[in-house]
Amino acid sequence: MKKKLRWAMLLCPLLIGTAYGQFDQGTRFLGATVSLDGKHSKVMDYNQLRDIKSNTFNVTPEFQVGKFYKNNRMMGIGVSLKGNFYSSYNYKSNSVTPTIAPFLRQYKFLGKRFFLYLEEYVPIQYSIGKQTVSGVKNENNYFAIGIAVQPGIGFKVGKNFYVESNINLLGLNANYKDSQNQNTFTFNSAISTHINSQFSIRAAWYLN
């Protein structure tokens, strides 16, 4: 009997530690992230005996809101605005792309603090772009719509505050693009050799 009690005392903490959590129906969600990257390069042009400089800057703020329509299942909408800016010796390119993306998420808890999620979303965007080549200006606008699946992982930091990361390495998407010159359909996996494009960090609040 004493031996059984000792085993029970040892197993109790382990069993308590594996208790899973959940997000209850009616919980509200707010997420925000900002992506920034830039590049400056200088290449020697031996034909003209001069340095060719180029600059690239990209910024994308994104916001998401949602509500759980049942336990561990959420629907919501995301809004983002992507700006791309590039300049070189005789070429400039600027574009602004607003995107609206309704989404569904399903959660699987790995404990009280960690969880996995799978997000399915439909990005709808219209890009407004301008190019200048040797002083000649052109417009490059397009409309695009797609469907995508994106896994991710989250960690609880405070009472209602979480840090989330999309795992772009495992994402899939199909996209239709209607531009002035041509229409294209693409299907892609998000596999990339750049580690900063495989993970993206989001601040998230889950409010009861």
Side-chain angles (χ1 to χ4, degrees):
M1 183 66 180
K2 291 182 179 180
K3 187 175 182 180
K4 290 181 180 180
L5 287 174
R6 286 197 299 268
W7 277 107
M9 292 175 65
L10 290 171
L11 289 173
C12 277
L14 296 176
L15 293 174
I16 293 172
T18 58
Y20 290 172
Q22 70 175 19
F23 292 121
D24 296 328
Q25 181 179 353
T27 299
R28 293 164 295 161
F29 165 80
L30 174 64
T33 185
V34 178
S35 300
L36 294 168
D37 68 84
K39 181 180 179 181
H40 172 76
S41 65
K42 183 171 67 174
V43 179
M44 180 64 181
D45 186 337
Y46 291 98
N47 293 324
Q48 301 183 32
L49 297 178
R50 62 179 299 170
D51 291 331
I52 304 298
K53 299 179 181 180
S54 65
N55 297 284
T56 303
F57 178 70
N58 304 310
V59 57
T60 308
E62 180 184 7
F63 301 93
Q64 288 182 313
V65 294
K67 188 173 182 179
F68 285 79
Y69 62 94
K70 63 187 299 186
N71 293 347
N72 287 338
R73 292 180 183 268
M74 177 177 65
M75 65 173 56
I77 190 166
V79 178
S80 66
L81 184 65
K82 183 176 183 179
N84 299 97
F85 308 95
Y86 175 82
S87 64
S88 64
Y89 168 62
N90 61 350
Y91 178 81
K92 291 184 179 180
S93 175
N94 302 315
S95 67
V96 176
T97 308
T99 301
I100 297 176
F103 66 88
L104 294 172
R105 269 200 198 182
Q106 182 173 347
Y107 292 77
K108 177 67 175 179
F109 273 80
L110 304 178
K112 289 185 176 181
R113 289 186 175 273
F114 286 94
F115 61 79
L116 299 174
Y117 64 83
L118 185 67
E119 182 173 302
E120 303 162 85
Y121 62 98
V122 179
I124 304 168
Q125 58 185 211
Y126 186 79
S127 180
I128 303 171
K130 293 183 179 181
Q131 296 176 341
T132 303
V133 183
S134 300
V136 179
K137 297 182 179 180
N138 295 295
E139 291 187 354
N140 183 23
N141 304 332
Y142 68 83
F143 167 80
I145 186 170
I147 185 168
V149 179
Q150 183 73 70
I153 189 169
F155 174 73
K156 185 176 183 179
V157 178
K159 181 180 178 181
N160 296 312
F161 179 60
Y162 291 74
V163 174
E164 300 179 348
S165 176
N166 292 340
I167 307 175
N168 300 326
L169 177 66
L170 303 177
L172 297 172
N173 71 81
N175 189 67
Y176 171 76
K177 180 179 177 181
D178 183 0
S179 64
Q180 296 172 328
N181 299 321
Q182 62 181 351
N183 300 332
T184 58
F185 177 80
T186 58
F187 178 79
N188 296 311
S189 70
I191 295 176
S192 171
T193 56
H194 300 285
I195 190 67
N196 62 344
S197 67
Q198 294 176 2
F199 299 92
S200 55
I201 305 299
R202 178 187 302 106
W205 291 263
Y206 290 84
L207 308 172
N208 295 322

